[in-house]
């Protein structure tokens, strides 16, 4: 199991959970994995609630790009995930 380490130069952005979202989808949006999101937010289960703010570590060089995710529409979010 690889250790999950926040690298130097990473910054925190906050993701507000919207209806229908789940950890796997949120991890996909931020190019990370579910175990990282759970660790960063001290989550013991995969249960999250609408309106909950999740801490996400992202590279500082991509901070502006990731900060916009909260304000994107569902269709725009789907485009991000489908690009991968």
């Amino acid at each position: 199991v690889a250790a999950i380490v926040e690298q130097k130069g990473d910054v925190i952005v906050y993701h507000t959970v919207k209806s229908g979202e789940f950890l796997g989808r949120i991890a996909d949006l931020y190019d990370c994995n579910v175990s990282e999101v759970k660790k960063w937010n001290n989550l013991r289960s995969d249960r999250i609630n609408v309106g909950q703010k999740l801490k996400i570590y992202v590279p500082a060089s991509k901070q502006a790009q990731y900060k916009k995710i909260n304000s994107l529409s569902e269709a725009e979010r789907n485009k991000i995930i489908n690009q991968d």
Side-chain angles (χ1 to χ4, degrees), residues 1 3 5 12 16-17 20 25-26 37-40 47 50 52 55 63 73 76 78 83-84:
V1 178
V5 179
I12 297 171
T16 304
V17 178
R25 178 174 172 75
I26 293 166
V37 177
K38 288 173 73 170
K39 176 182 174 272
W40 297 330
R47 184 174 164 78
V50 173
Q52 186 173 348
K55 191 186 318 183
Q63 181 180 12
S73 70
E76 290 168 320
N78 287 335
Q83 282 173 358
D84 293 344

Side-chain angles (χ1 to χ4, degrees), residues 1 6 9 15 26 32 35 37 54 56 75-78 83:
V1 178
E6 292 78 57
H15 178 82
I26 293 166
C32 61
S35 59
V37 177
L54 297 174
I56 312 284
E76 290 168 320
R77 289 173 186 222
N78 287 335
Q83 282 173 358

Side-chain angles (χ1 to χ4, degrees), residues 15 20-35 37-38 43 45-48 54 56 81 84:
H15 178 82
E21 284 189 321
F22 53 93
L23 286 176
R25 178 174 172 75
I26 293 166
D28 285 346
L29 284 169
Y30 293 92
D31 296 322
C32 61
N33 60 50
V34 170
S35 59
V37 177
K38 288 173 73 170
L43 300 175
S45 76
D46 291 343
R47 184 174 164 78
I48 53 174
L54 297 174
I56 312 284
I81 290 173
D84 293 344

